[in-house]
Amino acid sequence: MSPEISNQSLWFLIIFVVIPLSVSYFYQLGLSRNVIVASLRGTVQLFAIGYILTYLFDLNAYIGIPLMVTVMLVVASFHARKKGKELPYVLPVIFGGLVLVEVSVLAMWLLFGMVEFIPSEVIPMSGMVIGNSMVAMGLALERMKSEFSENRGRLLAALSLGAEPKQASTLIVQRTLNAALIPNVDRIKTIGLVQLPGMMTGLILGGVEPIMAIKYQLVISLSIFSSVSLSAMFVTLIMYRHFFTENKQLLESEEAMLAYASNQEK
Amino acid sequence: MIEFRNVSHGPLRDISFTLQKQERAILFGPSGTGKSTLLFLFNRLKDPEEGEIFYNGKPLTDVPIIELRQKFGLLLQSPNLFPGTVLDNLKYGPSLTNSWRPGREKELLEYVQLSPEMKDRDVDHLSGGQQQRVSLARTLANEPEVLLLDEPTSALDDKTGEDIETVLKELIEQQGLTMVMVTHQMAQARRLGTNGLFMNEGTIEEHGKIPEMLEQPQSKALKEYLQG
């Protein structure tokens, strides 16, 4: 294996972009623009972060880590918010959830000596935890919105039978968490059998002993497993309440939810 | 028993009427005039934007909301059953207030003319008519004083709709329930209702005894509605 990927070799990665582009063109999927933008954006972002990380890793841990983790939390919050931007208070809820998850996971890592408090360890691992939690929160929000709209009749029936909003929403909360957590459970089930996870692969390619790479992978995989569950649960259990008024009435639409929330603030 | 005083909400404007105990009122009129909205005001699935509603002389808002909803049973157009068995559905309302009595399912299924053996059936395996009967039995499990029916047979075929209607008629008469029903079927209104409220453009355009309203409509809107 070559010790370093040359810049010339990298140019050939274009082939990997041409394949999905051709599929999109051939089947008229209308994804060509997205494929090009995503590939270019991803490349630029990765190179930029490469340079930034080199700089951050040289900084004092007490400056570099909070700085980069804050940036990650803010960017992830705004990204996850897109999946439920019509819902009231969604941004602070997502941000709060991500902070909670990151702080808990980081505390565990440090407390039990799994990770050292140095930028080169904490930043990439936090990135993986925050990124996966962001996806889970987005999935949960999207699923919750569709469950609420599909089960409107059932919710009205439950409320009219005397259920509290929490009782009426039990099914929706279960289905939402299921949808958000199943990919995570499947990933853990097949880990090492179907795919060698990214972090472990990276460490092995970088020359680390496989057993050591596996230890790191275990730490990150189980951290992600737990943080994804926690973040999906956090966003679901807080956000479902906003579908109801304080008089246990179901709000008709996302516009009605926003109007109700702004009236409550007055 | 129930009095609406100058109530407005969404399409509804300045609605006033009184409903007596054991009265069977039919809400009818063109689509989009707020009939379902009016029905939801009874059990506070919606609250009036203006005006007030009284129940036995007390403002509706003074009655604890869960108690109120259990007194005003609502049956919607679709059964909206919860996943699980027939029994799970029947127990739902009473279990919320820990008032379910084991064995009660037999009596409830009898009310809606279903066999007691059906209690363990998965609701997904029932026909549309059976599902609507289970939904009605689920509403009755709370022992409501008032039945609010939002086009309860409109999603069913004629024969099944008629069967449900027969069940409803017998129940209401036997148990002396007060009823408010939204329907577009005038023959059904005639068979089930005592009084009528004809709604048009968010207001009650005409009200009175059902047979008279249908035979001698006074307002131009009701005449047109009955002809159309």
Side-chain angles (χ1 to χ4, degrees):
Chain A
M1 190 175 133
S2 58
E4 195 179 303
I5 302 175
S6 69
N7 289 341
Q8 285 88 335
S9 308
L10 277 183
W11 281 107
F12 290 102
L13 282 176
I14 288 174
I15 297 169
F16 291 128
V17 179
V18 168
I19 294 169
L21 211 56
S22 327
V23 173
S24 169
Y25 179 77
F26 191 74
Y27 287 102
Q28 297 178 325
L29 303 180
L31 288 175
S32 307
R33 191 170 171 270
N34 259 339
V35 170
I36 295 171
V37 170
S39 316
L40 284 176
R41 193 178 144 169
T43 310
V44 172
Q45 278 169 198
L46 281 178
F47 270 109
I49 203 66
Y51 284 111
I52 292 171
L53 284 180
T54 313
Y55 172 73
L56 281 175
F57 288 174
D58 292 338
L59 271 182
N60 177 323
Y62 291 95
I63 298 172
I65 293 174
L67 189 73
M68 192 59 199
V69 167
T70 307
V71 170
M72 286 172 179
L73 288 169
V74 170
V75 173
S77 301
F78 275 95
H79 192 80
R81 174 182 177 256
K82 285 182 195 161
K83 306 285 183 188
K85 59 176 181 290
E86 317 84 343
L87 306 175
Y89 312 113
V90 73
L91 188 62
V93 170
I94 293 174
F95 185 74
L98 288 175
V99 170
L100 174 78
V101 163
E102 169 62 13
V103 169
S104 328
V105 169
L106 189 57
M108 286 279 288
W109 288 342
L110 298 176
L111 195 65
F112 298 109
M114 298 169 187
V115 169
E116 251 188 281
F117 193 70
I118 51 172
S120 59
E121 289 199 14
V122 173
I123 292 174
M125 289 178 75
S126 295
M128 292 169 86
V129 163
I130 296 170
N132 279 282
S133 303
M134 170 192 84
V135 172
M137 281 179 162
L139 266 175
L141 283 171
E142 231 172 14
R143 183 62 181 243
M144 185 161 53
K145 281 192 302 179
S146 71
E147 288 288 345
F148 264 98
S149 98
E150 279 168 27
N151 287 292
R152 200 176 153 67
R154 274 198 186 126
L155 286 160
L156 287 174
L159 291 174
S160 69
L161 288 166
E164 295 280 347
K166 185 180 175 187
Q167 294 162 321
S169 314
T170 307
L171 181 70
I172 287 174
V173 169
Q174 281 170 348
R175 287 187 177 171
T176 301
L177 288 177
N178 235 321
L181 298 186
I182 277 181
N184 197 31
V185 175
D186 283 346
R187 198 168 40 229
I188 287 283
K189 268 196 222 160
T190 57
I191 199 167
L193 295 175
V194 177
Q195 55 168 347
L196 292 180
M199 187 190 205
M200 184 175 133
T201 312
L203 287 172
I204 293 172
L205 287 174
V208 173
E209 284 290 314
I211 291 298
M212 182 52 82
I214 280 168
K215 282 183 184 169
Y216 269 101
Q217 187 60 53
L218 262 180
V219 170
I220 195 64
S221 291
L222 294 178
S223 303
I224 290 173
F225 192 42
S226 145
S227 54
V228 159
S229 314
L230 187 64
S231 53
M233 212 150 65
F234 184 87
V235 78
T236 308
L237 293 181
I238 291 192
M239 289 310 294
Y240 87 84
R241 293 157 208 264
H242 294 297
F243 286 80
F244 300 91
T245 69
E246 60 180 356
N247 288 328
K248 311 175 202 304
Q249 292 154 340
L250 183 63
L251 287 160
E252 266 173 39
S253 60
E254 280 138 12
E255 293 78 45
M257 289 166 72
L258 283 178
Y260 181 73
S262 77
N263 268 340
Q264 291 291 97
E265 277 171 20
K266 280 174 196 164
Chain B
M1 185 192 192
I2 302 156
E3 187 190 353
F4 276 58
R5 219 178 271 172
N6 309 107
V7 169
S8 297
H9 181 106
L12 300 173
R13 285 182 286 118
D14 204 21
I15 300 278
S16 296
F17 67 89
T18 308
L19 192 73
Q20 300 302 338
K21 200 169 169 35
Q22 298 191 344
E23 196 173 316
R24 296 176 348 225
I26 304 291
L27 285 176
F28 65 110
S31 301
T33 50
K35 299 185 294 296
S36 297
T37 306
L38 180 58
L39 211 56
F40 289 176
L41 289 168
F42 280 91
N43 66 350
R44 296 195 61 205
L45 281 178
K46 291 184 190 296
D47 279 332
E49 286 155 6
E50 280 171 49
E52 251 192 304
I53 305 169
F54 296 88
Y55 173 60
N56 291 336
K58 272 205 305 195
L60 214 54
T61 44
D62 284 359
V63 184
I65 201 159
I66 302 294
E67 188 187 314
L68 178 86
R69 288 187 180 159
Q70 297 207 320
K71 275 188 180 144
F72 285 74
L74 173 70
L75 184 67
L76 297 163
Q77 205 170 340
S78 308
N80 296 302
L81 297 178
F82 309 126
T85 63
V86 169
L87 182 60
D88 294 335
N89 275 272
L90 299 182
K91 280 163 73 174
Y92 189 89
S95 302
L96 297 168
T97 47
N98 295 320
S99 57
W100 174 256
R101 298 188 304 272
R104 212 171 145 233
E105 64 276 12
K106 191 167 172 281
E107 171 196 10
L108 289 167
L109 290 171
E110 213 167 86
Y111 284 155
V112 295
Q113 298 170 10
L114 287 176
S115 105
E117 286 81 56
M118 289 192 73
K119 72 179 171 72
D120 296 320
R121 290 270 295 275
D122 188 316
V123 293
D124 285 342
H125 299 149
L126 304 179
S127 69
Q130 286 172 329
Q131 288 190 344
Q132 192 64 326
R133 282 171 197 243
V134 173
S135 186
L136 174 60
R138 180 178 68 179
T139 304
L140 294 170
N142 275 342
E143 298 177 346
E145 289 175 14
V146 182
L147 263 189
L148 306 169
L149 309 169
D150 192 4
E151 300 188 54
T153 60
S154 65
L156 306 169
D157 61 68
D158 290 350
K159 171 76 182 68
T160 319
E162 276 168 31
D163 290 347
I164 296 275
E165 194 187 300
T166 312
V167 168
L168 271 171
K169 193 169 185 330
E170 283 177 18
L171 266 169
I172 289 162
E173 283 170 0
Q174 274 169 17
Q175 304 195 3
L177 296 170
T178 307
M179 177 193 93
V180 186
M181 178 165 82
V182 174
T183 185
H184 284 288
Q185 301 168 40
M186 290 305 101
Q188 185 175 62
R190 201 186 279 270
R191 289 191 293 264
L192 287 179
T194 50
N195 290 33
L197 296 164
F198 172 67
M199 296 189 60
N200 191 33
E201 294 176 357
T203 58
I204 295 176
E205 181 100 14
E206 200 171 324
H207 62 99
K209 297 281 172 207
I210 275 283
E212 280 111 74
M213 282 181 81
L214 300 184
E215 278 148 31
Q216 294 155 336
Q218 302 297 308
S219 66
K220 189 170 167 258
L222 179 54
K223 282 179 195 161
E224 281 174 4
Y225 177 77
L226 294 174
Q227 280 161 8

